[in-house]
Amino acid sequence: MAKVISNLYGEALFDIALERGMVSEMEEQVTVLSQAFAENPELFKLFNHPKITKEEKISVIENAFKGRFLDDIVGFLVLIVEKGRYNEIEAVFDYFHAKVREYSKVGVAKVTSAVELSEEQKKQVEQKLLQQTSYESFQMHYETDKSLLGGMVIRIGDRVVDSSIRTKLANMAKDLKKISLANVTN
């Protein structure tokens, strides 16, 4: 349920940015706010404190952010407090950033390989992804996992391309078990 709510609020924030023609400005400000919340956990303590009224919390938001951030951002934060959704603010901002990337045709790819890829190999992987998707650029994240044995696993959103040797061996083992069972039953 929390994910649905954070997506709903993130979508609303994105719609405001799009409607106002201020997608990049709002993204910059949301990034700054995300960092501020991450670096100041006492803000969450303040918002969760049962003895501080909503009005006082709203006053803190307006005093801290008005004039430093767009009115739409400040108004959005006030709405979050009014609706008691401050626990989901991080998820709302994450969803907003994902919508901005989608709008800007920027994909996020996580590439896991058995060995460290060279810069040339990384460029080739990115070029191949650009050719096979509708994205115009990628934020690439690379990591190694020796248990793959060879090959790589590429994740873009909820899509996964697994060409690792580990998976190929596991699939071959399944196929061999099917063949063995088929021979036994015949």
Side-chain angles (χ1 to χ4, degrees), residues 96-161:
F96 174 79
H97 285 300
K99 287 294 291 183
V100 170
R101 282 191 304 272
E102 180 183 312
Y103 173 77
S104 303
K105 294 188 180 267
V106 176
V108 177
K110 179 180 174 189
V111 179
T112 307
S113 57
V115 295
E116 185 75 29
L117 298 176
S118 69
E119 289 304 313
E120 182 59 33
Q121 289 170 319
K122 289 178 180 179
K123 286 180 187 174
Q124 289 174 354
V125 169
E126 185 174 0
Q127 285 303 313
K128 189 73 167 173
L129 292 176
L130 288 169
Q131 291 170 0
Q132 295 187 356
T133 65
S134 60
Y135 295 112
E136 294 175 1
S137 66
F138 272 96
Q139 291 177 358
M140 303 294 291
H141 303 277
Y142 295 94
E143 63 181 41
T144 58
D145 179 355
K146 293 183 188 313
S147 72
L148 295 180
L149 303 175
M152 64 181 64
V153 178
I154 301 172
R155 296 183 199 301
I156 302 172
D158 54 0
R159 292 179 290 174
V160 178
V161 176

